[in-house]
């Protein structure tokens, strides 16, 4: 939550108080876009912490800002903008965004501006940076270096697994996506990534200190809520009846770490958070300690999946806890998704999705492997990390034979085995939905019971079959 006065918070709850939107340019290259140039109530700010069907720590999403403006003739695409809401000479920043699209509406004097915050800076290939790192290094040093390379300041935070030592587990000759790396960091520390209103990267923690609230029969008086600041009461600003699920998510009570070859779960795991295929956890002997530290961070978190429409409160942020009621039903939830619309008549829509229990299908790895293949290119690792299932690669030098390489590729429903000599494929075996195909200089089958059905087609000038024993019936 932004640190503003209680008086200013109260003013935002009233549509009768005059509000203005001003859009400034970070470098001052263009004049401010003032409220008179902005189409009435056209502003939309869409923020995401986690939009998956069940809660998953580590996600880092880009915030989108949209507004329609008139009398803007300059080319502002690519410019960085800083929109602010002004109320009684008080300014509330809405973020720092780079203009991505400027669309002119046919027959209308307005242009629609779509801009994105600095989270987009992570979505690029960082193999050049990764290849310069000196391993081993701590996770803290790793994330500090990544943020510095991306060009973002970060809010000073100590993460529960900051002190683990990292080795090189990715091939720096292949594409390495920066967004995937920062999400891997956040995932094993039980946090989410977000960009602050002043453009810094922050690690968002879900607060488990909800406080004690009155009985349902005492709602909706806001004065009955405690003032510890752990949750924000919003009953007085609801615009419609909240849409809520019939259950609260079961409190998180453990951690499971697993992929193709390794597996660890904490002692308590009735509803554990599950980590699969995190690139920072390959071939580690300290999974137990990592999981237990993470469990101390996230154990006890629960909430009510809900969608709540209320008066727009721009000082609230992703990850904040809000409380309200629906008739006799008490609702405590987190702002995992947020859409702020309007200017004078601000409206907030908060949403939190979630299943009652986390999915416990520990073995559903195939889709994740395919996704990693698409994002990283065929990630190649050393023989120590080949059990990740992405690619098995063995290189050995032979002075007389050159370099022999064997590789197993798992891609898009096809398994391929190739033998290469001096960069040339000498043997190739492929298994897919159509069957098995083989190319090479020699095929030798040794079997005590060999069966061939349907057809045998031979296309060669030198073919011989030696039958030493036959059985007929």
């Amino acid at each position: 939550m932004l640190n503003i006065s209680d008086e200013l918070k109260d003013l935002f709850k009233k549509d009768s108080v005059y509000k203005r939107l001003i859009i400034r340019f970070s470098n001052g290259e263009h004049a401010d876009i003032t409220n008179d140039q902005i189409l009435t109530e056209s502003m939309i700010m869409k923020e995401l912490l986690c939009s998956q069907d069940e809660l998953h720590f580590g996600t880092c999403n880009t915030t989108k800002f949209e507004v329609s403006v008139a009398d803007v003739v300059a080319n502002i695409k690519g410019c960085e903008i800083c929109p602010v809401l002004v109320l009684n000479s008080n300014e509330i920043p809405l973020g720092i965004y780079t203009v991505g699209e400027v669309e002119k509406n046919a027959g209308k004097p307005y242009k629609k501006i779509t801009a994105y915050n600095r989270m987009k800076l992570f979505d690029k290939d960082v193999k050049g940076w990764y290849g310069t790192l000196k391993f081993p290094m701590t996770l803290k040093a790793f994330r500090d270096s990544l943020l510095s390379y991306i060009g973002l300041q970060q809010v000073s935070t100590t993460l529960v697994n900051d002190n683990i030592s990292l080795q090189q587990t990715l091939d720096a000759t292949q594409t390495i996506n920066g967004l995937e790396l920062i999400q891997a960091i956040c995932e094993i520390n039980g946090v989410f990534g977000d960009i602050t209103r002043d453009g810094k990267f922050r690690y968002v923690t879900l607060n488990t200190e909800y406080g004690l609230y009155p009985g349902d029969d005492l709602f909706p008086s806001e004065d009955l809520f405690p003032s510890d600041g752990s949750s924000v009461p919003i009953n007085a600003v609801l615009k419609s009846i909240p849409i809520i699920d019939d259950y609260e998510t079961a409190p998180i009570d453990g951690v499971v770490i697993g992929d193709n070859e390794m597996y660890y779960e904490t002692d308590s795991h009735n509803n554990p958070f599950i980590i699969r295929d995190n690139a920072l956890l390959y071939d580690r002997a300290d999974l137990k300690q990592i999981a237990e530290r993470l469990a101390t961070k996230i154990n006890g978190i629960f909430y009510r999946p809900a969608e709540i429409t209320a008066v727009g409160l721009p000082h609230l942020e992703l990850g904040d806890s809000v409380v309200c009621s629906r008739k006799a039903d008490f609702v405590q939830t987190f702002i995992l998704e947020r859409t702020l619309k309007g200017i004078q008549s601000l409206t907030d829509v908060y949403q939190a999705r979630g299943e009652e229990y986390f999915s416990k299908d520990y073995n559903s790895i195939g889709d994740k492997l395919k996704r990693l293949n698409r994002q990283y290119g065929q990630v190649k690792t050393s023989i120590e990390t080949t059990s990740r299932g992405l690619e098995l690669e063995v290189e050995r030098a032979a002075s007389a034979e050159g370099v022999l390489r064997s590789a197993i590729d798992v891609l898009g429903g096809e398994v391929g085995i190739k033998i290469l000599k001096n960069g040339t494929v000498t043997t190739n075996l492929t298994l897919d939905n159509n069957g098995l195909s083989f190319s090479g200089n020699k095929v030798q089958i040794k079997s005590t019971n060999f069966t061939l059905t349907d057809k045998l087609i031979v296309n060669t000038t030198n073919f011989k079959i030696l039958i030493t024993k036959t059985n007929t019936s």
Side-chain angles (χ1 to χ4, degrees):
M1 183 190 307
L2 297 183
N3 184 20
I4 64 174
S5 67
D6 290 339
E7 292 77 13
L8 189 55
K9 293 176 185 177
D10 289 338
L11 288 177
F12 272 108
K13 297 177 182 178
K14 303 174 182 179
D15 285 345
S16 59
V17 178
Y18 182 60
K19 309 176 187 71
R20 294 179 294 137
L21 176 64
I22 298 175
I23 300 174
R24 299 191 176 103
F25 291 84
S26 295
N27 299 320
E29 62 267 53
H30 301 293
D32 294 350
I33 300 175
T34 64
N35 198 70
D36 294 338
Q37 297 171 266
I38 297 172
L39 181 63
T40 304
E41 307 302 290
S42 66
M43 185 195 77
I44 302 175
M45 185 175 73
K46 177 69 174 178
E47 298 178 292
L48 291 175
L49 200 64
C50 178
S51 60
Q52 300 180 21
D53 288 337
E54 63 180 40
L55 186 69
H56 195 95
F57 296 98
T59 53
C60 302
N61 294 292
T62 300
T63 295
K64 182 168 70 172
F65 178 85
E66 296 178 343
V67 68
S68 293
V69 301
D71 301 324
V72 176
V73 297
N75 180 13
I76 63 173
K77 187 174 181 179
C79 294
E80 199 170 62
I81 59 174
C82 307
V84 295
L85 280 172
V86 182
L87 191 155
N88 286 359
S89 75
N90 296 287
E91 294 188 356
I92 303 294
L94 298 179
I96 300 175
Y97 304 88
T98 298
V99 177
E101 297 96 36
V102 180
E103 303 174 34
K104 185 173 181 179
N105 294 323
K108 296 182 179 179
Y110 295 100
K111 296 178 181 178
K112 180 181 177 182
I113 296 173
T114 303
Y116 305 90
N117 74 355
R118 290 176 175 175
M119 190 67 77
K120 264 191 169 296
L121 295 176
F122 283 102
D123 194 13
K124 66 178 181 180
D125 186 4
V126 297
K127 65 174 180 285
W129 159 80
Y130 188 84
T132 65
L133 298 178
K134 303 299 181 183
F135 293 96
M137 64 192 309
T138 65
L139 179 75
K140 175 65 163 61
F142 184 79
R143 68 179 173 93
D144 286 350
S145 179
L146 176 60
L147 268 293
S148 177
Y149 177 78
I150 294 297
L152 279 178
Q153 296 182 43
Q154 58 182 324
V155 177
S156 179
T157 307
T158 298
L159 304 179
V160 292
N161 281 308
D162 258 349
N163 292 326
I164 67 172
S165 179
L166 299 180
Q167 301 288 342
Q168 181 173 349
T169 57
L170 299 173
D171 188 340
T173 66
Q174 300 296 314
T175 300
I176 300 175
N177 185 271
L179 186 61
E180 289 291 322
L181 282 185
I182 192 63
Q183 291 184 142
I185 292 169
C186 290
E187 182 181 46
I188 65 174
N189 286 284
V191 296
F192 304 91
D194 187 34
I195 301 295
T196 63
R197 303 287 177 87
D198 59 353
K200 298 178 181 179
F201 186 87
R202 71 178 181 120
Y203 303 90
V204 180
T205 296
L206 298 185
N207 189 0
T208 57
E209 298 177 359
Y210 308 124
L212 297 176
Y213 294 94
D216 294 331
D217 58 329
L218 295 179
F219 261 92
S221 174
E222 301 281 320
D223 296 334
L224 297 176
F225 285 90
S227 57
D228 60 4
S230 58
S231 294
V232 179
I234 57 172
N235 245 42
V237 294
L238 293 179
K239 286 195 170 184
S240 63
I241 298 174
I243 302 171
I244 61 175
D245 285 347
D246 295 331
Y247 57 85
E248 288 182 332
T249 61
I252 299 173
D253 67 349
V255 173
V256 171
I257 299 176
D259 71 3
N260 282 347
E261 292 287 331
M262 59 186 183
Y263 178 86
Y264 178 76
E265 61 183 8
T266 55
D267 292 336
S268 177
H269 47 266
N270 183 54
N271 186 40
F273 172 61
I274 301 170
I275 296 178
R276 301 181 180 92
D277 297 289
N278 187 301
L280 302 180
L281 299 183
Y282 292 169
D283 286 312
R284 300 195 64 92
D286 57 349
L287 292 183
K288 178 178 185 293
Q289 292 81 7
I290 291 172
E292 289 179 347
R293 283 192 294 267
L294 175 56
T296 64
K297 174 73 173 179
I298 64 177
N299 276 1
I301 291 176
F302 72 94
Y303 60 95
R304 190 73 169 267
E307 181 177 316
I308 301 170
T309 301
V311 171
L313 303 177
H315 56 279
L316 295 186
E317 296 181 289
L318 291 175
D320 287 347
S321 174
V322 295
V323 291
C324 62
S325 68
R326 186 184 69 177
K327 298 181 180 179
D329 215 349
F330 172 76
V331 180
Q332 180 280 319
T333 195
F334 294 106
I335 302 177
L336 301 183
E337 301 180 54
R338 189 264 194 93
T339 303
L340 179 66
K341 297 181 179 181
I343 300 173
Q344 177 59 36
S345 180
L346 285 171
T347 298
D348 254 325
V349 179
Y350 311 125
Q351 191 168 1
R353 308 173 196 264
E355 301 293 340
E356 188 171 4
Y357 290 91
F358 287 118
S359 168
K360 293 185 179 180
D361 183 5
Y362 302 152
N363 299 314
S364 59
I365 299 171
D367 288 342
K368 186 64 179 281
L369 290 174
K370 294 176 184 177
R371 185 159 57 252
L372 286 173
N373 268 323
R374 288 195 300 270
Q375 293 167 339
Y376 288 135
Q378 292 179 311
V379 178
K380 297 188 299 182
T381 60
S382 64
I383 186 62
E384 289 79 15
T385 58
T386 56
S387 59
R388 304 310 141 230
L390 298 175
E391 183 176 313
L392 172 62
E393 178 175 275
V394 179
E395 291 191 358
R396 66 175 181 262
S399 57
E401 297 178 354
V403 177
L404 176 68
R405 188 180 76 180
S406 300
I408 299 177
D409 297 329
V410 181
L411 286 173
E414 176 182 295
V415 177
I417 300 177
K418 299 177 182 179
I419 305 298
L420 297 92
K421 183 177 181 180
N422 296 327
T424 302
V425 176
T426 59
T427 305
N428 187 10
L429 183 141
T430 302
L431 178 65
D432 57 24
N433 292 330
N434 295 319
L436 174 70
S437 63
F438 173 83
S439 63
N441 295 326
K442 181 179 179 181
V443 177
Q444 183 176 358
I445 300 174
K446 292 183 178 181
S447 174
T448 57
N449 186 1
F450 181 79
T451 301
L452 178 67
T453 61
D454 206 358
K455 297 179 181 179
L456 172 64
I457 300 175
V458 178
N459 185 9
T460 181
T461 58
N462 185 12
F463 178 68
K464 180 172 67 175
I465 298 178
L466 176 64
I467 301 176
T468 59
K469 183 177 179 180
T470 61
N471 288 322
T472 60
S473 59

